[in-house]
Amino acid sequence: MAAQGEANRLWFGDNLEILQGSIADETVDLVYLDPPFNSSRSHNVIFEKHPDDFEAVAAQVKAFNDTWHWSPTTDYLYQKYALAEELPGPTAAALRALHGLLPEGDTMAYLVHIAPRLVELRRVLKPTGSLYLHCDPTMSHYLKLLLDAVFGSGNFRNEIIWKRSSAHNSAKRYGPVHDVILFYTRGRHYTWNRVTQPLSQESADQWYNNVESDTGLRFKRADLTAPGTRTGPSGEPWRGINPTGKGRHWAIPGFVADITAGLSTSEALDALDSAGRIFWPRQADGIPQVKRYLEEAAGIPAQDIITDIRPLHNVADERIGYPTQKPVALLERLIAVSSGRGDLVLDPFCGCGTTIEAAQRLGRNWIGIDITYVAIDIIVKRLRRNYGNSVSYQLNGSPQDIAGAYALAEKDKFEFQTWAVTQLDATPTEQRSRDKGVDGVASFYLDRKTTGRVIISVKGGTNVEPSDVRDLGGTVQAQQAQMGIFLMRGEPTAGIRDAASHAGTYTWPFNGQVYPKIQVITVAQLVNGIRPVLPPQVQPYGRRLNVRALNAAAVLSGRVLAHSRPADVEPLLALLDAQRSGLVLTGTSGMRLAESRRRASGVECPIICDPAAYLTWVATPQDPFRGSNGPLRERALDNFIKETCRAGAHAVLTPTGYIGESDIDTLEAVLRAAPGLNAEAVISLPLDITWATSEWVDVLVDLAEPVLAPKAIMMTGLPRDPVSAKEILANLRLIASRVPQVAFFRSGLGALDLMAHGALAGSIGTSSVMRRLIPPDIRRPPGDNPNEEDAAAPQVLVSDLVSYYPGDVLAAQLAGDAVPCWCRYCAGQSLGRFTGRVQWRDARLHGLAIWTEWLPSLISNASPAERQVTWTRLCQRGLEAHDRFGAGGDDVIRLMPDLPLMFWAREAPLSPAGAVELLRNRRRAARG
Ligand SMILES: C[S@@+](CC[C@H](N)C(=O)[O-])C[C@H]1O[C@@H](n2cnc3c(N)ncnc32)[C@H](O)[C@@H]1O
């Protein structure tokens, strides 16, 4: 038996080919199949109107066809399977018999199609395995004949009736309300677990018809005696009641064993009486009985008519919109009965993955196969939504590289488009829309209530013209969508790029971030994990972004903020780039003042509150958050965030304590709080630096990746040596590119590097203390005073060098030369002036003025790839400038570039595909 998850496979393709080519004999414990029914219908996936999406209309796309026709191909297959006996004798004979009975029409075509699959399914079943075939009464009798032929009629176990709807109006016939599930086993000895189903309301009302007056509990009366007399203690009288006189003896039922175990008969009866469990009859000579409460009812063993599992109603939580989706509870029952933990469950027509979901919940391994990419995509996203990274499986048959993508494009244009569109977390459209150049639509939030649309046009062929891009622009306009994505096979020509850039830009009203109106992306980029840059998307199939968290995400998105103490607000406001920046203020006390200053100066930038609990508090799994009066749990945390917003914050970092080295439990506890947080909350993750080492970074990524709410990572502590520092810089890039909605706060210029690698936002500390966090449980080295006011000289950002240097060292380097600084704050004053304590404030404002000047070129580039180019160039220039900087006399100390700058300037940026590869390799290595 494989460990859970080890054998999980999801296959895109035809199940017959996959069964024949890839699934070994006698390896599967349970097969459930729900093949299309031959109802002559074509099924559409209804991508239901998103609950938060008040404008979008329900979209749908054809998932699969239920229609079968007798064609030359079917005729050929019939000859092959039935006449040439390519299928085993009894199955071939059954097909021939059915052919004698049925015309060469849809039903016969369906049976010809299904027969070889049933033979394969029997082959892969273990000798102890079971098969459940889900169908309806229009086909069940033919299928039963076929199954009898394949499995042997002696292996038929049940025809299970599932009442799938309560009532159905049919003219002139009885309402068809049930499905049929045919249950066969491969042999006489098969897995069978006794599973009970709850009592129906009817039985409960009928049987448990007594009510205890003092407690209101419902009970039924069970016997305390059994027929026949005994001479031992069970035949003796108790409280004047003599069972022997009535031809009976005391027999205490097992369901009260927790009260009576180890006691003699009379002691047991006494104990039951004191527990109030005896029902005393009114007649003086009546025999007492024992009360059995409804809550104790064990249920009844699973029956072959299932009425207690209701169909999925329209607003059921698990409803995805996939046609013919079955309830997970139904599959859970079948899987619980016919398999054990770690067993392998196979669904060769897996649709939206109900069987997979049930198997996963019950700790089974699973294989799912579907021929429609829409189904596969739904399952991938369903698993991601419900299990995050805790479920592992192999995805087979879908394009993994460029060659695979091109091969799919050649084989099936429609499926290729569906695949491409789903990779962009968009919804594929139906055929009619595709003919008009709209292959998919992605939605994003315009505000908390309305959504905008991005139209996706996929060109799988090689003949692409700039006019196609212009057409997309026209469609975007005509359909009143906000943006368009043009996905093409080869590299875009200059003409195509030109056409895209002529379409102009779109400004997201939420925070003024600017996006290209039309973005061109290639299939190669798609398979390498590169995605267009869009505002937070509404996820299809109900996988919802935490809309409540949108406010904070939208406030942060694309901004580099200044992380400061509230005291500095006023001068900082004057220098900030309101569009691309804002303030993070530590502590809660100054918030109201800060907000009123912001209003008074008419600056539109956001103010984010960082309660900075991590400075004094080490988080624990029980108490990860802390306010001024102690730990904050649910309601109190909620109130804290609301209160802080009322005091003027536009977003609030959770008051998380410091998360120590390898403290997984605490990190999990912090992340678990995410779904319950207010819209304005950002999960603060003040992590020990070891979380960014290669030993721990994968764990961090795994835990944080499924959490969609915005997160702010703050690294505390310092890397121990230059080698580890380099490793940490690389791992931070990995986190930025893999974890969604992650910001890096209280960092230095590293925030810019990480935003070029996909981080949502960053904050740069205005002073060295704000840029460098020390864990609360670590004593500072002598001389390392948190109050920069007491330090000898402040750290000064030198624009040309893209680095901070101590002001006194800088002054010595300049050797008295008056090198003017032309930043907005210094306005020509000398760079050599920051030599003592009194200049600390000057140095902060100077630093802020410098990096905010970089933002328009760095941050306005919408895509991380473009940001990377600008950032790398800036760092390279900074590195080169070290050679030229200052007077350079023999007696001056040379300014050496620090390690991060060398890393940012020289190390190739990490592409999204590179990040995926890196993680994959690490996981492989970790598994050994
Ligand atoms: C009735 S649906 C199954 C629904 C599923 N039980 C659920 O709960 O979602 C049948 C599925 O079989 C798939 N299918 C049809 N022919 C197939 C084939 N030859 N190989 C694999 N899957 C196939 C269809 O795409 C469809 O998703």
Side-chain angles (χ1 to χ4, degrees), residues 13-15 34 64 322 324-326 348-349 351-352 354 370-372:
D14 182 350
N15 49 25
D34 173 18
F64 60 92
Y322 200 77
T324 72
Q325 179 183 356
K326 303 296 179 292
F349 295 88
C352 66
T354 311
D370 206 286
I371 200 163
T372 316

Side-chain angles (χ1 to χ4, degrees), residues 682-693:
V682 179
I683 303 175
S684 152
L685 298 174
L687 298 167
D688 186 86
I689 192 84
T690 45
W691 283 99
T693 60

Side-chain angles (χ1 to χ4, degrees), residues 314-383:
N314 277 348
V315 289
D317 264 0
E318 67 182 83
R319 192 181 174 83
I320 285 171
Y322 200 77
T324 72
Q325 179 183 356
K326 303 296 179 292
V328 177
L330 179 66
L331 269 299
E332 278 184 336
R333 176 152 319 155
L334 308 181
I335 292 172
V337 167
S338 291
S339 68
R341 270 193 97 75
D343 279 0
L344 183 57
V345 175
L346 162 68
D347 186 342
F349 295 88
C350 64
C352 66
T354 311
T355 311
I356 292 174
E357 171 79 42
Q360 183 66 31
R361 280 191 200 175
L362 296 178
R364 273 54 166 177
N365 287 297
W366 47 260
I367 300 178
I369 310 174
D370 206 286
I371 200 163
T372 316
Y373 197 80
V374 171
I376 300 298
D377 179 56
I378 289 176
I379 297 173
V380 168
K381 288 175 178 152
R382 185 177 185 171
L383 287 169

Side-chain angles (χ1 to χ4, degrees), residues 463-484:
N463 194 8
V464 181
E465 300 291 334
S467 59
D468 295 324
V469 178
R470 284 192 287 273
D471 287 349
L472 174 60
T475 311
V476 167
Q477 198 161 14
Q479 302 227 353
Q480 295 183 335
Q482 281 68 20
M483 286 176 271

Side-chain angles (χ1 to χ4, degrees), residues 185-249:
T185 58
R186 172 133 185 202
R188 278 199 304 133
H189 303 288
Y190 52 92
T191 304
W192 179 262
N193 304 309
R194 189 175 183 278
V195 166
T196 54
Q197 58 186 62
L199 282 186
S200 66
Q201 192 59 43
E202 210 181 343
S203 311
D205 291 346
Q206 198 184 337
W207 299 343
Y208 290 81
N209 52 2
N210 299 285
V211 180
E212 217 171 49
S213 54
D214 47 345
T215 62
L217 289 175
R218 285 170 61 182
F219 66 93
K220 74 172 185 174
R221 299 182 321 219
D223 282 340
L224 257 182
T225 57
T229 56
R230 301 283 185 275
T231 51
S234 67
E236 285 171 10
W238 174 71
R239 306 229 177 134
I241 296 154
N242 183 4
T244 312
K246 296 200 183 278
R248 300 179 74 82
H249 66 278

Side-chain angles (χ1 to χ4, degrees), residues 803-851:
S803 309
Y804 288 89
Y805 283 101
D808 43 358
V809 173
L810 197 62
Q813 163 70 13
L814 297 175
D817 285 2
V819 175
C821 171
W822 290 105
C823 77
R824 273 182 307 148
Y825 180 70
C826 295
Q829 295 181 72
S830 169
L831 252 190
R833 72 185 194 278
F834 305 99
T835 49
R837 289 173 199 169
V838 284
Q839 282 92 13
W840 62 267
R841 191 162 171 272
D842 258 10
R844 288 175 194 187
L845 297 171
H846 153 83
L848 177 80
I850 299 281
W851 62 252

